[in-house]
Amino acid sequence: MSIAVTRQDDVVIRFAGDSGDGMQITGNQFTDTTALVGNDLATFPDFPAEIRAPAGTRAGVSGFQIRFSSTDIYTAGDIPDVLVAMNAAALIVNYKDVAPGGIIIANTGNFTERDLQKAKLATNPLEDGTLDGYRVIAIDINARVTEALAGSPLTSKDVLRCKNFYVLGLMYWLYSRPLEPTLEWLAAKFAKKQDLADANRTALRAGYNSGDIHEVFQGRYEVVPVENALPGTYRNIMGNHAVALGLVAGAELAGLKLFLGSYPITPATDILQHLAELKEFGVITCQMEDEIAGICTAIGASYAGMLGCTTTSGPGLALKTEAIGLAIMTELPLVIVDVQRAGPSTGLPTKVEQADLLQSLFGRNSDAPLPIIACATPADAFDCAVEACRIAVQYMTPVILLSDNYIANGAEPWRLPEMDKLPHFPAAQVTDPAGYAPYARDGKLARPWAVPGTPGLEHRIGGLEKEHITGNVSHNPENHQLMSELRRDKVLGVRDTIPTPEVSGPREADLLVVGWGSTYGAIRSGTERLRRERNVSVAHLHLRHLWPLANGLDEIFARYKQILVPELNMGQLSRLLQGEYPDHRFLHYGKVKGKPFTAREIREKITAVLEGKS
Amino acid sequence: MSIAVTRQDDVVIRFAGDSGDGMQITGNQFTDTTALVGNDLATFPDFPAEIRAPAGTRAGVSGFQIRFSSTDIYTAGDIPDVLVAMNAAALIVNYKDVAPGGIIIANTGNFTERDLQKAKLATNPLEDGTLDGYRVIAIDINARVTEALAGSPLTSKDVLRCKNFYVLGLMYWLYSRPLEPTLEWLAAKFAKKQDLADANRTALRAGYNSGDIHEVFQGRYEVVPVENALPGTYRNIMGNHAVALGLVAGAELAGLKLFLGSYPITPATDILQHLAELKEFGVITCQMEDEIAGICTAIGASYAGMLGCTTTSGPGLALKTEAIGLAIMTELPLVIVDVQRAGPSTGLPTKVEQADLLQSLFGRNSDAPLPIIACATPADAFDCAVEACRIAVQYMTPVILLSDNYIANGAEPWRLPEMDKLPHFPAAQVTDPAGYAPYARDGKLARPWAVPGTPGLEHRIGGLEKEHITGNVSHNPENHQLMSELRRDKVLGVRDTIPTPEVSGPREADLLVVGWGSTYGAIRSGTERLRRERNVSVAHLHLRHLWPLANGLDEIFARYKQILVPELNMGQLSRLLQGEYPDHRFLHYGKVKGKPFTAREIREKITAVLEGKS
Amino acid sequence: MSAVQLTPKDLKSDQEVRWCPGCGDYAILNATQAALAEIGVPREKMTIISGIGCSSRFPYYMGCYGFHGIHGRAAAIATGTKTANPDLSVWVVTGDGDAMSIGGNHLIHTMRRNVDLKILMFNNQIYGLTKGQYSPTSPAGLKTKTSPFGSVDLPFNPINLALGSGATFVARTVDTNPKHIKSTLLAAAAHKGVAFVEIWQNCVIFNDGAWKDWSTKDARAERTIDLQPGQPLVYGKDNEKGLRISGGEVEVVAAADADVWDPTTAAPLAYVMAYLDEREDLPHALGIFRQHDKPTYDAAVKEQVDALTAKKGKGDLKKLIYTKDAWQVG
Amino acid sequence: MSAVQLTPKDLKSDQEVRWCPGCGDYAILNATQAALAEIGVPREKMTIISGIGCSSRFPYYMGCYGFHGIHGRAAAIATGTKTANPDLSVWVVTGDGDAMSIGGNHLIHTMRRNVDLKILMFNNQIYGLTKGQYSPTSPAGLKTKTSPFGSVDLPFNPINLALGSGATFVARTVDTNPKHIKSTLLAAAAHKGVAFVEIWQNCVIFNDGAWKDWSTKDARAERTIDLQPGQPLVYGKDNEKGLRISGGEVEVVAAADADVWDPTTAAPLAYVMAYLDEREDLPHALGIFRQHDKPTYDAAVKEQVDALTAKKGKGDLKKLIYTKDAWQVG
Ligand SMILES: Cc1ncc(C[n+]2csc(CCOP(=O)(O)OP(=O)(O)O)c2C)c(N)n1
Ligand SMILES: Cc1ncc(C[n+]2csc(CCOP(=O)(O)OP(=O)(O)O)c2C)c(N)n1
Ligand code: SF4
Ligand code: SF4
Ligand SMILES: [Mg+2]
Ligand SMILES: [Mg+2]
């Protein structure tokens, strides 16, 4: 009997299992293969807590959601069409999110009495009616994998470890994806562990074949490639990786070598890890004793003529604030990457939040301005990192680049930049003693960068107030006023080199939704759909530059009757905008649940606002 | 010949000399005596830089300004009536500030060729016309003191050290002040160094008598006591001292012992130094290895049941921000005192600025709200410190108390509180296991304070998000939203226990001047005088509570046509208010020169604003 | 404190223990509960203060008071707690990253001040919680996620750092020997002053076997020596070998000729024992390196407060405010 | 670097020196200018990096590159500078507060890593710049503005801390002996690796005479011993007394019987010399305590970069971005 293949446009799958079940690998494989197929996609990995919780518990559940589509998409999706639940805990934690009538694949092998107990379940949800209304596919994956790998030299424990590839195979079958990319990956990954490579290959194929053989599904699906995708070369990228690549590119475009001084912290550590691999680019990574040493080495490296950079998350940024002031006073280029996570304090370290904007703006002693930019998506993170390097070097200033946990670990297809179209912004390190003064200024108000080792430019810098031009320590009252204004104006001057952002949607409308950072996808998708499907008069403005704010925003705001500012915090951009643009009213829409907005939440909020309900 | 005594209402004297000349002692003695005479007064000591610069240089000049009056005053005055210049450098740095026709007393003994050279002067300003238009009194004080002390067992170097008491005596004569308080002070101070006591006494008397004998002055002055002073007991107090006393009082009013964990930093160090003396109050002061340890020990002490407190200045506050988040998450009482100084970075460490307001509000990772209050004057610092303790204990929260360098080192008469009228706010440390839950909440949304050592209340706290009521670690999304809102609402709730501030001046007017912190005096004085002398329609609103902002401000703002916000920064309160009260427009008036506003600057700005000129 | 007798179970909390299966932390937790039950302190007077790391989750599992602080700051928080209330038994639990990396400054100052804290440092030579980066105790050359080509950092010897900071009690134990952990912690508890205890701990996930050359039962006999006060410096399966110290150097001798170990000596012999770590041919030392009696910080602070209160009388707020130089108006 | 010959004057800046008259910093400044003129490094390749404190104003007075950092962070900034450009001669100037209090963590980690920096710590046992509070090297009991009844803190022994952190070059000198400063700094400059030099410095204003029992010319002869490689451990006005080390203890012997000093030994003898500070009956040691050769951090970082660049070829940005798993659309 041949099985029908139905075409679908947009699918969301969530893989969920125990921390040890390899759900992240499964998800990443599915993602890479799906990217090669040519779908647009977005992913949302969701790690539980930091430590591996005892196997089988709710706290130990690890999830990976992927959305893929034949058209452009902006988020990892709100509602899974398919949930793969590798054990009882994974099921109970996730099933409620699944679309009514959606598919739930449950590994019955991990629904024993003990499993139910560990998941704090009195009865078996596969049997007690919990899943009424879903299409439940119950398979004893443990048993199937053990069968498939009968005769393998692996221990039975290791055999069971292959069950994620079985599931992956099954999902490849269901969504008509090729096995080759994963087979190749396995060959490379386990080049030195042939047994493991074989076993996982076998499990993958067994899963794939089981689709045909066991007829558990009524049909297969197909999600054809995006048709109107912009032509170009694409590659799947995660946000932290994109930042790392962007920093390398930024340094090269400035004609500099990159120096990273950092201290590991979730969810920023990957950037350090990626850059540690890139020695042949002359990248130096120093894992320091703490965040303060991280930024201080970066300042010391910039002083020595490299492009200093430091990466961290919120609590680490808090520790760096005094040193950021030093970089502001000494006017050295520096890129500070903050991958935001939920707080305050240690908070929810593996969850997303956008709550470091005001810290970035104001979290330093005294008036200490610097430029701030935020990336919207994993791919955008590359461009933003390059842009941060540009500003740091052209304006001789520290720059904060805000990312967050959702971008950091999420993936999407990245349309690779054409190399010769990347902006060049060579750093002008001075060498000529004639007319040199440490705090002279160019047209951008940047001071000259004179690097130790250069004969004749010996000078002293530091954290005490500097005299205009000479850079000598000065306690002169007028000079302090002047320097304070120069520091402010230099940063405000960045406006001259950034474009006014473009509104997506109507030029004038009932509502403008203004966002920043990783809410981009949910807002874009929510507003587009409301316009498309219900003809709602709504537009979307995304801000990449949070400080200085681009020219022309005032005029944009004036064209809309109301302005809504959704943020994953208690009101930060809305507060900034309200202070800067008092002629308009900015309605804050916050969410602090450690999760991104769904497009549906955005749509519902917009509808409520327009109906005067909020 | 008898010398006429003229009555004056309001006098400003500035003592200026080399760092080693004892100008601060001279100023403080004049201040204490003047207080006892019953004048209102305000002082402004102005230390040069941190290190003793080479004697005689401009950088080494140390100044002390005192204003005293027969009526209430609010500032240390804009323009000295008398300048005492102990050497050439002191003269050249200060003479321009003196009122036209004002008196300049110059110690010609320190205007030698070498002195002029050190002061970078080509010619002698006493002779080259520089001082045309002033009443210059040139005395060789070195010689006079040497004469007066002929026969003293002191070395000639030590003899010269007494010259500041000679000057003090002269000024006592000029302004008709008694010598006794200083004589008593000398007796106590040099109880074990009789030679020094004698010499200084002699110098003091010699200076005093020289007024009569040498007839250098055309007349003497008298500044009679304030008449309408509020009845009560008064004492002269400096801001840092007042904070220290307020913290001790606050702890006692809460029924707690005070713990201070701190690290020295200008200009906050005095508070630590004062509190280190008060062991008999059970005050524990720990001078820690850095600012982070300072706040962390304070948190640890609050956890153990004391009232934890930490004192610092801007760069130190920057270092404490991560730990402040921990105090917010663990909801422990904590008072953080920030004595602001000019920045960014090391900046101008001995100069004033009010630029840590936004750092206090937002300088932490994630949404981490806490109450902020700022003191207006040295005496007000006592009340504010008590208030900070009250809020910390009643709301189980860290509180930031903002002072600044001007308040810290300035002095004024303090009308002592009636002890039985001080507010009591006993801390409610729980001991009953029945119904105890670490994160249960009372009517103020405060959680119960259960202190280690209490049987049956063993529990765990920390920086990870807490579950409502139980306080267990929770990654639940809804709980995180709830707790974020509770943290916000608890702090906003402080509004219920603070009064709406009162406007000084007309209920409705053309202009409202809104200030905070140490600009109080200049604004109060500037607005009062404009009303009094020129009938200008202007009122003054001073904000003690910066977060939460008191109820009723909106209605106040609505009653004025324009609102001006003078601040010693580039725009911080104005930004906050603009964000919070978008219906009004807040005009920022900033000064960042390391100096306080003068009342004249305020008056001129007000006039300009009302004339539409700014 | 009255001598209370608890059982290890009394020191368990109601929270599920959440380390990876096989993690060395489990053994340390159990041995700690066993030791603390015997120190004669009631539950409510014990508090465990930690930083951030796998090891720092420790307080959640203990049935006494607990404070899970922020990264690196446990020693500072604990200094405040102990100084505020010297009556408490305060234990710091920390990791090699938490204590020696970001927390290095507070650690050395706490040891210098001789605050009466018991500091247990779980040394797995790796950052466990952040999933496997080298730490300040990782051997040079270690390949980790942040040192893919081998770490270029030279490591601390934690014992040397503690000794060099002036710690008054310095010891070392290992997760594979719960009895030794227990006796070491009992000695630490009995010491009046700061006690720094390095505990070799295996991270099965990110640095498995880091200590295996010394930590397994067999290796322990041949490749470690247990420093116990008043005991001879002997080791080997049958305690047949001994160590003798001469002029800062160490030689292997017959057991009978071994020196007797005295951790209380003022002479810097403890460093000689730490130096064994650098010698391929000699055993690594476990047990008690140093045990000196010095005034503790918390007691000295209290004494000063008590002495001045006795001398001046309990502070009177009114007198503090109404000083002699006050004057009357109206 | 080519061998350049400078005069001390070449190393003066145009800025007025602003310490209190009589401050020990002047002598150190002069001796440092004299030493640095002789190390064969051109002015433009020298940079002085400091924190905050009286001592930390040092860079302003030197005619080379200079960076007056923030409090406690000089070692970290300098690590970045040196690692970014190992070709520079990087000197850290810091105080007992800057280095050992707030900067303690960076200090010990810099020493552990063996970054090729020369760290001069001016130890006046006080916070000078903030006008007289006790520091982590102040003796217990010292009365200062923040310890009016005597400090209850036990001090660090800076030499022990440096040794315990793994520093490869550890020395001590004193402001009253400019020649000794100069020779010590020349030895530090010649050492490849981190050099920690404690310099006893007198703060005339806030802690006058802190070192006078050892620092005056007479006291130096009788109460200090100069540790010089290959030289016998002798002291006294006529070098008539000697020291011999045995079993971690030290005894005074005739000069002829003195041990010869070897700072390069792996055995922990340097600690024995630091331990002299605790003994009333023995001289304090100056000179070179330890001098070990170990790979430096900055060189190791560079080697890894060079080796991988040689192996993989200079990184190609396009290849980094256009990986194999990329695909084509349109
Ligand atoms: C301020 C800050 N920086 C960084 C981190 C990230 N972080 C958490 S634990 C840890 C290292 C833990 O290592 P260790 O103390 O050895 O504990 P282990 O997990 O190995 O027991 C790091 C870097 C953090 N939580 N906070
Ligand atoms: C973050 C910060 N905290 C505190 C200070 C204040 N401060 C400046 S220098 C100093 C101590 C200096 O002592 P030391 O390093 O011994 O230098 P010295 O003045 O004695 O040479 C302190 C506490 C500061 N500048 N910055
Ligand atoms: S990661 Fe390592 S240290 Fe952490 S719980 Fe797992 S095994 Fe233990
Ligand atoms: S205060 Fe002390 S250390 Fe500072 S310059 Fe003066 S004498 Fe030197
Ligand atoms: Mg570890
Ligand atoms: Mg010092």
Side-chain angles (χ1 to χ4, degrees), chain B residues 231-286:
Chain B
T233 310
Y234 283 78
R235 149 186 190 196
N236 232 3
I237 194 91
M238 288 169 67
N240 273 345
H241 198 174
V243 167
L245 295 179
L247 293 174
V248 176
E252 188 155 320
L253 295 166
L256 300 171
K257 295 281 182 227
L258 185 70
F259 180 101
L260 177 68
S262 186
Y263 185 70
I265 184 168
T266 306
T269 315
D270 292 337
I271 306 176
L272 166 61
Q273 291 174 179
H274 284 300
L275 289 172
E277 302 274 357
L278 301 181
K279 305 261 182 273
E280 71 274 22
F281 286 83
V283 174
I284 292 181
T285 54
C286 290

Side-chain angles (χ1 to χ4, degrees), chain A residues 47 50-54 57 59 120 263-266 269 272-273 276-277 279 285 287-291 319 345-346, chain C residues 16-20 52 54 57 69-71 73 97 101-102 127 129-131 133-134 145-146 148-149 153 205-206:
Chain A
F47 315 111
E50 310 118 299
I51 310 188
R52 300 193 178 192
T57 63
K120 301 230 158 109
Y263 185 70
I265 184 168
T266 305
T269 316
L272 166 61
Q273 292 174 177
E277 303 273 356
K279 304 260 181 276
T285 55
Q287 179 183 311
M288 297 305 292
E289 56 271 20
D290 62 15
E291 281 83 356
L319 288 167
S345 195
T346 314
Chain C
E16 219 171 347
V17 185
R18 290 194 186 170
W19 287 305
C20 306
I52 302 286
C54 294
R57 308 287 303 228
I70 44 179
H71 196 33
R73 317 301 173 191
S101 194
I102 190 169
Y127 296 163
L129 188 63
T130 47
K131 306 197 168 155
Q133 301 80 27
Y134 65 99
K145 287 191 186 149
T146 47
F149 309 105
D153 277 43
I205 304 294
F206 298 113

Side-chain angles (χ1 to χ4, degrees), chain D residues 55 95-98 122-129 135 137 201 203:
Chain D
S55 32
D96 45 318
D98 192 62
F122 298 11
N123 185 2
N124 54 14
Q125 300 190 335
I126 200 84
Y127 296 164
L129 188 63
S135 92
T137 60
Q201 175 244 328
C203 169

Side-chain angles (χ1 to χ4, degrees), chain D residues 184-220:
Chain D
T184 307
L185 298 195
L186 287 175
H191 174 70
K192 258 259 148 264
V194 75
F196 175 80
V197 182
E198 178 190 359
I199 309 181
W200 289 344
Q201 175 244 328
N202 193 37
C203 169
V204 275
I205 305 293
F206 298 112
N207 202 17
D208 195 24
W211 297 111
K212 69 172 182 315
D213 290 350
W214 301 275
S215 63
T216 64
K217 205 163 176 204
D218 287 349
R220 281 207 313 268

Side-chain angles (χ1 to χ4, degrees), chain D residues 88-297:
Chain D
L88 300 173
S89 174
V90 183
W91 295 69
V92 171
V93 173
T94 175
D96 45 318
D98 192 62
M100 301 229 135
S101 196
I102 191 168
N105 207 28
H106 311 306
L107 182 74
I108 60 177
H109 282 272
T110 303
M111 297 196 283
R112 161 176 82 76
R113 289 193 188 98
N114 198 29
V115 188
D116 187 16
L117 304 173
K118 314 304 156 193
I119 303 174
L120 315 185
M121 188 186 88
F122 298 11
N123 185 2
N124 54 14
Q125 300 190 335
I126 200 84
Y127 296 164
L129 188 63
T130 48
K131 306 197 170 157
Q133 300 80 26
Y134 65 98
S135 92
T137 60
S138 299
L142 191 73
K143 289 192 181 169
T144 69
K145 288 192 185 149
T146 48
S147 58
F149 309 105
S151 159
V152 297
D153 277 43
L154 303 172
F156 280 131
N157 180 323
I159 301 293
N160 266 339
L161 185 65
L163 295 170
S165 309
T168 53
F169 181 100
V170 178
R172 187 192 265 166
T173 183
V174 51
D175 60 0
T176 53
N177 192 347
K179 271 197 198 152
H180 194 267
I181 301 178
K182 187 175 164 191
S183 67
T184 307
L185 298 195
L186 287 175
H191 174 70
K192 258 259 148 264
V194 75
F196 175 80
V197 182
E198 178 190 359
I199 309 181
W200 289 344
Q201 175 244 328
N202 193 37
C203 169
V204 275
I205 305 293
F206 298 112
N207 202 17
D208 195 24
W211 297 111
K212 69 172 182 315
D213 290 350
W214 301 275
S215 63
T216 64
K217 205 163 176 204
D218 287 349
R220 281 207 313 268
E222 285 302 320
R223 304 209 56 203
T224 71
I225 183 164
D226 192 18
L227 308 178
Q228 294 300 335
Q231 298 299 313
L233 292 172
V234 295
Y235 68 110
K237 213 178 309 165
D238 305 306
N239 279 336
E240 72 282 6
K241 284 171 281 192
L243 293 183
R244 200 162 55 193
I245 303 166
S246 66
E249 270 297 347
V250 182
E251 45 186 7
V252 181
V253 294
D257 299 328
D259 281 345
V260 166
W261 182 239
D262 176 13
T264 69
T265 174
L269 291 186
Y271 294 103
V272 180
M273 290 298 120
Y275 156 67
L276 297 182
D277 294 358
E278 291 172 42
R279 293 278 297 267
E280 269 301 310
D281 55 330
L282 295 176
H284 284 21
L286 294 168
I288 300 170
F289 288 73
R290 184 194 274 166
Q291 185 163 10
H292 286 179
D293 280 335
K294 286 198 182 168
T296 72
Y297 180 79

Side-chain angles (χ1 to χ4, degrees), chain A residues 112 161 194-195 206 328 355 370 485 491 516 530 579-580 613:
Chain A
T112 64
R161 285 243 174 102
Q194 225 29 72
D195 286 353
I328 289 171
L370 54 67
E485 288 167 10
V491 170
W516 68 282
L530 282 178
E580 288 287 311
K613 284 196 192 128

